[in-house]
Amino acid sequence: MIIKAEVRRQRAKGRWIKVVLHSSVPLILCCALAVAASAQQFPVKPVRVINPAAPGGNSDIFFRILSPKMSEILGQSVIIDYRPGAGGTIGADMTAKSPPDGYTTALVAASFVINPSLIRKLPYDTVRDFTPLGLVVDVPSAVVIHPSLPVKTIKEFIALARSRPGQINFSSSGPGTVGHLTGELLNSTVGIKVVHIPYKGIAPGVIDLVAGHVQLSFPSIPVVIGHARSGRLRMIAQTGSARVPAAPEVPTVQESVPGFVVSSGFSLVGPAGIPRPIAERINGALAKALHDPANHKALVDGGANPVGNSIDEHAAYIKAEIVKWQKAAKAAGIQPGDP
């Protein structure tokens, strides 16, 4: 009796397993159809773009140029949400922990790929915890000084800084940002000592530079080109590999310091797990907004290089940039620290 009962239970289990395995096929199909339908309907409400920097910075400039066209393409408002601080990690962490439905994204600066080499314990994994949605622009940094410094070229500045070690301060949008690392790389490359003063965003750092509270900064060209044209600041060089159309008269640093090239990418990312059809929808809207003639001109005139690559290309870019900045930080003698 015991044996027969056990056989019946096993048979019953076998029939139950077969039913589940058989019924899983339409279940998977239903899920796939549901995702596809959701992608076709997306978005049905405004899309939030977290800005991990303070208002007035690079990300803000690019967002204001691109958001009207993206809103038009998506059929919903694309709104900005400022979450500055900790070199961009506060906003990035909020993005990583948001629902992966496409309604929360972030426009991150180069600090996003630099931070793994500068911060010992990030609250997220820069590759694993995000969905790449497209590289927005690639931008060289400006080398801008307060007009009170008696120099007009990068060579003259280097000579002055060597004569005043520790007496010239430079602002950045926080530890781990491209502006911070550029200053440290210049220190190690040419043998000077300019002192880093971090701010919660590049806009307040530039305000203090204009006021003369700091003497030097390395923001992206779009942030300071207006101040340079008005004479409030002096752009003595820029860190791209070639001169830019927005300021063709400004030489590159590498014209005086061979091999010194720094450019920073601004990326659109979302939390990991965004369904591919929804991610493709966002990526497509970004690419169309970047290739809009008026937007393209505004970005180029401001000193930025519009990109708009694919999701897979963007994923490869993020991984390569992390490796690049790790090598740069090591060359500058910078060890990862606490946030």
Side-chain angles (χ1 to χ4, degrees):
M1 294 294 294
I2 296 175
I3 295 175
K4 289 181 180 179
E6 183 65 20
V7 169
R8 283 197 296 271
R9 283 196 294 270
Q10 290 297 328
R11 287 176 178 172
K13 289 178 182 178
R15 286 195 299 274
W16 179 77
I17 292 171
K18 288 179 182 178
V19 169
V20 171
L21 289 174
H22 181 71
S23 63
S24 68
V25 175
L27 179 61
I28 292 171
L29 180 60
C30 288
C31 290
L33 291 173
V35 170
S38 176
Q40 289 178 348
Q41 295 171 359
F42 176 88
V44 296
K45 62 181 181 179
V47 175
R48 177 174 65 152
V49 179
I50 291 176
N51 184 352
N58 305 298
S59 301
D60 207 18
I61 292 171
F62 304 141
F63 175 83
R64 293 183 187 281
I65 291 173
L66 298 171
S67 61
K69 194 66 177 179
M70 288 191 69
S71 297
E72 176 188 322
I73 294 166
L74 292 172
Q76 289 286 342
S77 297
V78 179
I79 57 176
I80 197 162
D81 182 3
Y82 297 101
R83 302 287 177 162
T89 59
I90 292 174
D93 187 40
M94 179 175 291
T95 305
K97 292 178 171 58
S98 296
D101 53 13
Y103 290 102
T104 298
T105 64
L107 182 52
V108 296
S111 56
F112 180 72
V113 289
I114 294 174
N115 282 336
S117 63
L118 296 184
I119 299 176
R120 185 178 293 111
K121 292 183 179 180
L122 286 170
Y124 51 79
D125 185 287
T126 307
V127 173
R128 186 188 61 227
D129 294 337
F130 295 90
T131 298
L133 297 171
L135 182 61
V136 182
V137 292
D138 190 50
V139 189
S141 296
V143 182
V144 284
I145 62 172
H146 189 268
S148 62
L149 286 184
V151 298
K152 293 185 178 180
T153 68
I154 189 68
K155 281 186 176 180
E156 291 175 352
F157 173 78
I158 292 170
L160 179 68
R162 283 174 177 159
S163 69
R164 300 182 185 179
Q167 297 179 37
I168 297 175
N169 298 329
F170 75 96
S171 64
S172 82
S173 54
T177 60
V178 68
H180 170 212
L181 192 52
T182 301
E184 299 294 354
L185 281 174
L186 189 63
N187 275 336
S188 63
T189 301
V190 301
I192 60 175
K193 180 57 180 176
V194 292
V195 180
H196 179 224
I197 308 295
Y199 287 77
K200 289 186 176 181
I202 195 56
V206 170
I207 289 172
D208 269 13
L209 178 61
V210 172
H213 301 310
V214 292
Q215 298 78 45
L216 170 69
S217 191
F218 303 93
S220 76
I221 292 175
V223 170
V224 292
I225 194 166
H227 292 303
R229 288 170 177 166
S230 69
R232 289 188 293 270
L233 295 176
R234 184 179 300 146
M235 192 188 310
I236 58 174
Q238 53 92 358
T239 64
S241 59
R243 298 196 183 197
V244 297
E249 75 285 357
V250 178
T252 64
V253 175
Q254 75 164 350
E255 290 176 41
S256 299
V257 184
F260 193 97
V261 176
V262 177
S263 62
S264 57
F266 288 77
S267 294
L268 190 67
V269 299
I274 294 178
R276 182 70 180 218
I278 292 177
E280 293 283 5
R281 180 109 165 86
I282 299 171
N283 175 262
L286 172 63
K288 289 179 182 177
L290 283 166
H291 293 119
D292 174 79
N295 289 347
H296 190 276
K297 184 178 186 303
L299 292 167
V300 171
D301 288 349
N305 175 35
V307 182
N309 56 3
S310 70
I311 289 174
D312 293 334
E313 289 170 339
H314 189 208
Y317 168 87
I318 289 173
K319 292 177 182 178
E321 284 293 289
I322 291 172
V323 172
K324 181 187 84 173
W325 288 111
Q326 285 172 337
K327 291 180 179 178
K330 184 177 180 180
I334 301 172
Q335 297 296 322
D338 295 324

